[in-house]
């Protein structure tokens, strides 16, 4: 199961996201609480192990899950969002001044100095997911970020060609849940994508 963190400050403050270490907004805290309550009631969370990005907005979301379910979590830098390099913490207006124009191939374009390209993000995520797969843990809750979750889904489905990575994207809203399942025949399924029904009301 994949969970995006709740709404965080940079989304409202005109600050770039990425590795900017923003905290949850009041709405983000409410979303995290609602998600935690839903998981505690509806999912056999005792059977899940939780892995989260180490950025504050993801850790705060994980803490609410832990409070409701009793599950501990493991922090992993590998689950961070796309590294935005020297634009970290800047306003979008300030970041625009140091933004690097797109280069080809676009998958290798690094928008900000000391940052990552989309291919680098995918490689980082895929390497960590391969590690998790090697542990033979059957049930995971992975708490991460929109672009990182897109990469996890593409890795899960085996979509790794340049065409796939450039053209296949998904809407991943704050505190949305995405359910992934491995079938007995080895095939990979996305059972639910970007589910926010637990946030209704």
């Amino acid at each position: 199961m994949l969970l995006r963190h709740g709404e965080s400050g940079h989304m409202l403050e005109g600050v770039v996201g990425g590795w900017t270490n923003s905290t949850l907004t009041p709405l983000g805290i409410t979303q995290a609480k609602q998600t935690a309550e839903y998981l505690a009631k509806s999912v056999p969370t005792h059977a899940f192990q939780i892995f989260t990005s180490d950025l504050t907005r993801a850790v705060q979301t994980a803490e609410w899950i832990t409070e409701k379910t009793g599950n501990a979590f493991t922090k992993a830098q590998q689950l961070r969002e796309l590294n935005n390099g020297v634009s970290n913490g800047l306003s979008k207006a300030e970041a625009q001044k140091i933004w690097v124009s797109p280069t080809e191939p676009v998958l290798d374009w690094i928008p900000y100095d000391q940052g990552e390209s989309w291919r680098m993000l995918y490689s980082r995520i895929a390497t960590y997911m391969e590690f998790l797969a090697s542990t033979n843990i059957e049930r995971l809750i992975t708490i991460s970020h929109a672009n990182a979750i897109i990469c996890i889904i593409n890795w899960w489905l085996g979509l790794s060609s340049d065409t796939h990575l450039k053209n296949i994207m998904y809407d991943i809203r704050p505190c949305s849940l995405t359910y992934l399942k491995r079938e007995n025949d080895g095939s990979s399924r996305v059972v639910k994508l970007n589910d926010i029904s637990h946030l209704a009301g």
Side-chain angles (χ1 to χ4, degrees):
M1 180 186 302
L2 308 178
L3 167 61
R4 186 185 176 189
H5 61 79
E7 181 188 78
S8 53
H10 72 271
M11 298 177 181
L12 304 182
E13 297 163 359
V15 175
V16 294
W19 285 18
T20 298
N21 208 15
S22 58
T23 59
L24 295 181
T25 65
L27 174 58
I29 292 172
T30 297
Q31 291 170 333
K33 288 180 178 180
Q34 290 176 318
T35 304
E37 290 169 359
Y38 167 77
L39 291 175
K41 292 177 182 177
S42 306
V43 177
T45 49
H46 63 278
F48 282 79
Q49 294 190 41
I50 302 174
F51 294 83
T52 181
S53 159
D54 66 347
L55 292 175
T56 300
R57 56 193 184 271
V59 172
Q60 287 180 312
T61 303
E63 287 172 343
W64 285 109
I65 306 301
T66 293
E67 180 173 310
K68 283 293 183 180
T69 66
N71 297 61
F73 59 84
T74 299
K75 292 189 285 186
Q77 184 175 349
Q78 297 93 324
L79 292 172
R80 287 186 178 190
E81 182 58 289
L82 181 73
N83 184 0
N84 57 334
V86 295
S87 73
N88 182 5
L90 298 181
S91 70
K92 292 182 179 179
E94 292 171 323
Q96 183 63 35
K97 297 175 184 177
I98 58 173
W99 180 75
V100 177
S101 298
T103 55
E104 293 293 337
V106 70
L107 289 174
D108 296 315
W109 165 51
I110 300 176
Y112 300 102
D113 187 33
Q114 301 176 30
E116 284 181 310
S117 67
W118 188 265
R119 194 190 307 277
M120 292 165 69
L121 171 64
Y122 179 83
S123 178
R124 165 164 59 86
I125 291 294
T127 298
Y128 190 69
M129 296 310 295
E130 292 288 353
F131 159 72
L132 289 181
S134 73
T135 65
N136 295 317
I137 300 171
E138 292 187 1
R139 296 181 177 181
L140 303 175
I141 297 176
T142 302
I143 303 172
S144 192
H145 311 266
N147 289 324
I149 288 174
I150 290 169
C151 289
I152 294 173
I153 296 169
N154 285 343
W155 168 83
W156 180 258
L157 295 175
L159 305 177
S160 58
S161 73
D162 284 15
T163 299
H164 292 147
L165 296 184
K166 184 169 65 174
N167 296 321
I168 299 179
M169 297 290 169
Y170 317 92
D171 287 334
I172 306 293
R173 296 178 64 181
C175 269
S176 64
L177 293 167
T178 294
Y179 298 78
L180 308 177
K181 182 180 180 182
R182 192 84 74 193
E183 300 292 355
N184 292 333
D185 63 3
S187 61
S188 302
R189 175 177 296 186
V190 178
V191 180
K192 287 186 179 180
L193 176 66
N194 191 35
D195 181 14
I196 56 170
S197 60
H198 58 285
L199 302 179

